Amino acid sequence: MNGPKLNELPDDSEQLGPYVSSLRRRALQSNELSAVRTFSDDFLLKFLRARDFDVELSLKLFLNYHRWRRESPEISTCLSPSSVLDLLHTSYHAVLPQRDHTGSRVLIYRIGQWNPKDWSAFQVFRISLMTSEIIAMETETQRRGLKAIFDLQGWSLGHALQVNPSIARKISSVLSDSFPLKVRGIHLVNEPMFFRPVFAMIRPFLPDKIKQRIHMHGSDFHDTLCDFFSPHVLPPEYGGEGPGIEKACQDWTSQLFRSEKLLQQIATHPTGDIAITPGDSLISEEVDIDQLSE
Ligand code: VIV
């Protein structure tokens, strides 16, 4: 059976067993991971689905994920929504409630809401990592990946200075081969001329496959974004008919807070292998984010 067909099978399908066992064996053989010797089936499946059940490619992704975590402790060891509460309250980020027509998750980042005087690139990066860890637990997202829209309205020199070559490398690594999510599209809107030098730092490290999936829409994006997303998916601010962006951001912020315990466990676990699905008891009950303080 080939990868795409395997990708359609449910988590508990017997046909997946040999692939999971094979990846587990290969992972244990590699001497890069010494501390933890057990990996759950669900955890290994994330990497297999992200690479369409090619065990060698899945192993590479698995090892890169762990290396990235080790080399980026400023980002990976603090997955706490409370630590970036005020930034989340500015409606910086949302995962839209509707998947697109291919089943991909659709994420929006409104960079202009990030005041670079108040928040470092590390803190901003943590939000993306929190979201990525949560959506990567969804079987459907493991299969269909994600598309991200970056609204660069308000991009300034202050932002550009924060994205130094080291951060740029970390961005290109997670986009290419260090996180178990398929990146199906990156859409930049309202990008100013002086975003180019920053993009020029990230681009050289991206594989062609990802480069081809990056679309620059400029300020007339209402005419072109709809070639990729149907109206019911996008918020009205982005030319669609879905729920407004503020609401979408609030709802996703609540989801991040409901996952706070889980995120903390992922951040502190030696391998990040917290094998439960969202909705399980580990995720705390709904919290009223207005009642939380720093
Ligand atoms: O984190 O699949 C200069 C995606 C992203 C992720 C992660 C995963 C993922 C698509 C990013 C996109 C956002 C972790 C798994 C790379 C975090 C970016 C944080 C920085 C500080 C934002 C600065 C603004 C960027 C804007 C353009 C970036 C695109 C060219 C990707």
Side-chain angles (χ1 to χ4, degrees), residues 76-150:
S76 66
T77 61
C78 180
L79 299 183
S80 154
S82 310
S83 72
V84 285
L85 178 72
D86 287 344
L87 181 54
L88 291 168
H89 271 161
T90 64
S91 303
Y92 161 72
H93 170 55
V95 175
L96 299 182
Q98 298 287 329
R99 292 173 187 272
D100 81 347
H101 61 286
T102 67
S104 296
R105 276 290 191 195
V106 184
L107 282 55
I108 297 195
Y109 292 98
R110 299 199 302 160
I111 302 295
Q113 306 301 111
W114 162 30
N115 182 344
K117 290 202 180 80
D118 296 338
W119 304 97
S120 71
F122 287 142
Q123 291 171 309
V124 173
F125 212 128
R126 282 180 207 156
I127 296 182
S128 295
L129 199 59
M130 290 182 227
T131 288
S132 303
E133 288 288 359
I134 293 171
I135 65 174
M137 286 188 274
E138 304 170 324
T139 302
E140 193 58 6
T141 306
Q142 292 169 9
R143 294 182 179 126
R144 320 272 175 232
L146 67 88
K147 289 172 186 160
I149 299 170
F150 289 85

Side-chain angles (χ1 to χ4, degrees), residues 20-290:
V20 172
S21 307
S22 162
L23 177 58
R24 180 174 288 118
R25 194 167 347 102
R26 299 285 283 111
L28 290 172
Q29 277 164 5
S30 86
N31 41 22
E32 283 190 51
L33 304 159
S34 49
V36 172
R37 312 301 302 173
T38 55
F39 308 109
S40 71
D41 287 8
D42 284 347
F43 188 59
L44 296 168
L45 259 180
K46 283 203 263 199
F47 297 89
L48 286 163
R49 285 212 177 95
R51 290 296 173 267
D52 289 325
F53 289 85
D54 180 316
V55 175
E56 285 311 308
L57 293 180
S58 306
L59 175 69
K60 194 161 159 264
L61 174 64
F62 184 89
L63 297 174
N64 287 345
Y65 169 80
H66 290 101
R67 187 176 313 126
W68 195 95
R69 270 173 65 104
R70 278 198 307 277
E71 291 175 356
S72 315
E74 319 85 344
I75 303 167
S76 66
T77 61
C78 180
L79 299 183
S80 154
S82 310
S83 72
V84 285
L85 178 72
D86 287 344
L87 181 54
L88 291 168
H89 271 161
T90 64
S91 303
Y92 161 72
H93 170 55
V95 175
L96 299 182
Q98 298 287 329
R99 292 173 187 272
D100 81 347
H101 61 286
T102 67
S104 296
R105 276 290 191 195
V106 184
L107 282 55
I108 297 195
Y109 292 98
R110 299 199 302 160
I111 302 295
Q113 306 301 111
W114 162 30
N115 182 344
K117 290 202 180 80
D118 296 338
W119 304 97
S120 71
F122 287 142
Q123 291 171 309
V124 173
F125 212 128
R126 282 180 207 156
I127 296 182
S128 295
L129 199 59
M130 290 182 227
T131 288
S132 303
E133 288 288 359
I134 293 171
I135 65 174
M137 286 188 274
E138 304 170 324
T139 302
E140 193 58 6
T141 306
Q142 292 169 9
R143 294 182 179 126
R144 320 272 175 232
L146 67 88
K147 289 172 186 160
I149 299 170
F150 289 85
D151 185 347
L152 292 162
Q153 173 123 62
W155 180 265
S156 67
L157 183 63
H159 294 101
L161 292 173
Q162 292 249 5
V163 184
N164 59 36
S166 156
I167 293 276
R169 276 311 292 267
K170 290 184 194 300
I171 295 174
S172 30
S173 306
V174 282
L175 293 180
S176 352
D177 203 22
S178 300
F179 199 93
L181 274 176
K182 297 173 169 182
V183 178
R184 285 279 173 76
I186 301 275
H187 296 267
L188 306 178
V189 305
N190 290 321
E191 72 281 10
M193 275 301 281
F194 50 97
F195 177 68
R196 300 259 161 189
V198 170
F199 187 56
M201 277 196 296
I202 301 169
R203 207 181 119 90
F205 305 106
L206 297 174
D208 285 340
K209 194 164 144 178
I210 300 290
K211 273 185 206 156
Q212 285 155 13
R213 294 177 184 173
I214 300 183
H215 306 269
M216 307 266 204
H217 293 267
S219 50
D220 292 329
F221 63 88
H222 280 258
D223 300 336
T224 52
L225 209 52
C226 59
D227 296 342
F228 297 89
F229 301 97
S230 53
H232 75 276
V233 175
L234 294 177
E237 293 84 349
Y238 294 90
E241 294 156 10
I245 186 68
E246 303 277 335
K247 171 86 167 69
C249 290
Q250 277 168 20
D251 288 353
W252 186 252
T253 297
S254 305
Q255 178 58 55
L256 288 175
F257 275 97
R258 283 197 294 278
S259 315
E260 182 147 40
K261 256 195 205 158
L262 177 65
L263 288 167
Q264 198 212 332
Q265 293 192 331
I266 294 171
T268 53
H269 192 277
T271 64
D273 180 0
I274 300 296
I276 65 149
T277 44
D280 277 5
S281 57
L282 270 174
I283 301 174
S284 6
E285 289 303 297
E286 182 146 4
V287 281
D288 182 353
I289 55 167
D290 295 322

